[in-house]
Each structure stands twice: as structure tokens, then as C-alpha cells.
Amino acid sequence: MSERLIDAGGDIVMPGMINLHNHISMVAFRGLGEYEVENLLFDVMFPLEKELLNRQLIRVSARQSAIELAMGGVTSFADMYYHEDEVAIAVKDVGLRGVLGQTVIGFPVVDSPKPYGGLAYAEDFIRKYQGDELITPAIAPHAPYTVDKEQLLAAKAISDQYDVPMLMHLVEFPNEYEMVLERHPDMANYRSEISYLDQIGFLGPKLLAAHVLYLDDADMDLLKARGVGVSHNPKANSKGASGISPAWEMMKKGLDIGLGTDGPMSSNQMDILTVMHYVASVARLRLMDATPYTPLELVEMATIGGAQALDRGDDLGSLEAGKLADLIIIDRDAPNMQPGYDVYAAIAFGAYPGNVETTIVNGQVVMHDRMIETVDLAAHEAEWTEVKSRVEAFAKTLEGGIR
Ligand SMILES: [Zn+2]
């Protein structure tokens, strides 16, 4: 018998949603660089990060995002950033489940004065959090265009040695092949970026690849054969004009594919409920065919698909005896959920994050009746206000920062 009974009163009880790709600490920069910036990454993101990132900003911003994720019904998420030990503290404060990938990148960053310091940082972080109930430590080589072959393979070796996930951006941009070729001249001998990564022994079931837009049929077969998980992030890909992923084809081929948003500067929203609608809409426009994706397929991508992409299909992603207790309750009486004849259609195409009434992670009530129960919100608010004012002051001096 549980200590606490919650009467869902006929509302929808479903598995918590899984956001497979995020950089949650970047919420401090959300809404900056929204006016005709040519290259968001180089013109706004990197200058902001260079000037402002520190442990406190990363921790407080991660807490702010974890609260937002919980309020929108996301119970698990994958993150790639710096100082992931600070993200871990914040995520545990809120009580979410996080797969946290410490970034490995070929230039100096906030948590490493020399390139690739993330390799050692990741190893320490993994040792510290291995076996944690809520945190799955992971390693995150940023992308093949920012990480050399030797360090990609070093990251893979750490992932293999500790049996932890490896997170990476993959075939995200139309000109990515040329970008990667600069660091990986050997790639010229292979037919594609994905076949090259396979040949060097980098692909495997512990890899969760984000975006995955520019690939052909043979590449898809290769990802499937190697058990690579895919995060489909259509909001970020369309907002950033990167393209539209052939996610539908990957799903039909039986790849492990789930949904993500990318960081709050790239897609602004971080709920998964409204991504489902997007997934179907962009696929249907791309194919000029209104049949791809049933509502059930979309709800599965948001839940069990994400779990499978993380190799966690055995303990996450569905409501079954023996699985971890990550679940949410969605208000069925909300006007936008009515009449709700088909519950899957109501969730996939009609629901908003504000319809989530309760979020439970690992058996703990994180949010109930739209109130966060795990965090001292007043103390958090004070720290968050300080972060915001520091960011705002600098952003005003940055061209393309605040208009
Ligand atoms: Zn990303």
C-alpha cells in the first residue's frame, strides 16, 4: 500500500515522456539572438557562453529547466553540456531522470582550459554517478566536425569501458560532410559520414545520435544494424532551417527512434507533447502525403521509442509491472482535450504542456495539481533572478543579443 493515493478521476494516466536531446542550462539564453542572426551558434551562442558560463549559471539554469520539463510531463531527458556534475545536482533536486552527457570538444571551453579536457572530466563524472537512481552519466563528443578521430574513439572507449551512453550530434547540416572532412581527411575514402564512422569502429548500441537529417537508405540500414538510437528534433531543425529528417522512413525501418527538442535557444520549448504534432506535420509536408504517423505511433515515439533509443526499453517508456514508476496524469476535461473520443489523437495532436496535472518520477511525486513539490521555489527564484540579470546585462552589449 502506498503512502499517498492520487485519484486521477478519469483523467489520462500515461508513461512519462522522454526528451532525447537538450542542453537545458542554455535556458538562461532563451530568446536571445532571435532577430535576423545569420549564424546563431557563432554570432550569439558562443560569445554568450564564453562570457557568462560558470558552475552557478549551469546549475541554477538546469534547475529552472528541470522544473519546466516536469511541468510539461517529461520524466526523463538526455542532456549534452559542460559541468554536467552541476546539472546532475539540479536534476536530482527536482527529481527528474537525466542521462547527462559531459561534452568532449576540440577547443577550450568553460570546464576545460585545453581541448578535449572533457574526456577526463567525463570519466570522473561517470565514476561519481555510476549506479545513481536518477542520473545516468554519459559522455558526449559534440560532433564529428568539432572532434578529431582519435578523440571520438577515446570517447567510445570510455563509453564501452563503463557501459554508459554516448551522445552526439550527427548529420545535422546540409554542408556537414564538408565540415567534417576538414577534421577527418580519411573520410574522403568513404561514401558517407555515417559509413566512415562505422569503418573507424565508432557506431554501436550505446550511441544516441541527435538530429540525423542527411543520410540515405544504406546509412539508415547501418544505423539499424549497429543499434544506434536516434533523437528526432523537428522543431529545432525547422526553426534553424537545417532541414527535415527522414524520421518516418527510419521508424518504418525499425530503428530505435524517439523525440527531442534540442536546447532552449534552438527550439525554445522543451515539452514533448507539442513535438508530436510537429513530427507528423513536417513529415506530411515533406512527403505531401497526409497518411504518415498514427496518433498511437506518435505517442509511442514520445515514450517507449525514446526508452528504446536509450537502450532502456526494459525499465522505462511504458506502464508495466516491473518497470520504473515514471508516469504522468493529463487533464481530460480541459477544453482543448475535448471531446477526446480517441485518447491518442487528443494527446498527440491536441494536448498542451499545461494539461499535465501530475508528474511522478521513480515513484516520487514531482508535480501535482500544477505545483512543484520537490524544490524550494522561493530560494530557486532568488538564484534564477540573479542569473537572468547577469545574462541580460551582457546580452545588451552584444550585437544580435537583445533587440
Ligand atoms: Zn544539440
Side-chain angles (χ1 to χ4, degrees), residues 68-106:
E68 179 178 341
L69 287 165
M71 304 272 305
V74 171
T75 53
S76 292
F77 73 102
D79 195 65
M80 298 170 67
Y81 213 51
Y82 310 106
H83 288 306
E84 283 289 345
D85 49 332
E86 298 291 345
V87 179
I89 292 168
V91 169
K92 283 175 75 79
D93 281 351
V94 179
L96 285 200
R97 202 179 289 289
V99 176
L100 307 184
Q102 170 63 32
T103 292
V104 175
I105 197 160

Side-chain angles (χ1 to χ4, degrees), residues 21 23 169 211 262:
H21 186 60
H23 314 278
H169 299 102
H211 303 302
D262 207 349

Side-chain angles (χ1 to χ4, degrees), residues 37 40 44 61 87 122 128 154 208 213 270-271 279 298 377 398:
V37 172
L40 186 68
V44 183
S61 304
V87 179
K128 189 167 175 194
L208 173 64
L213 271 62
M270 54 180 99
D271 68 281
V279 168
L298 294 167
L377 288 174
L398 191 71

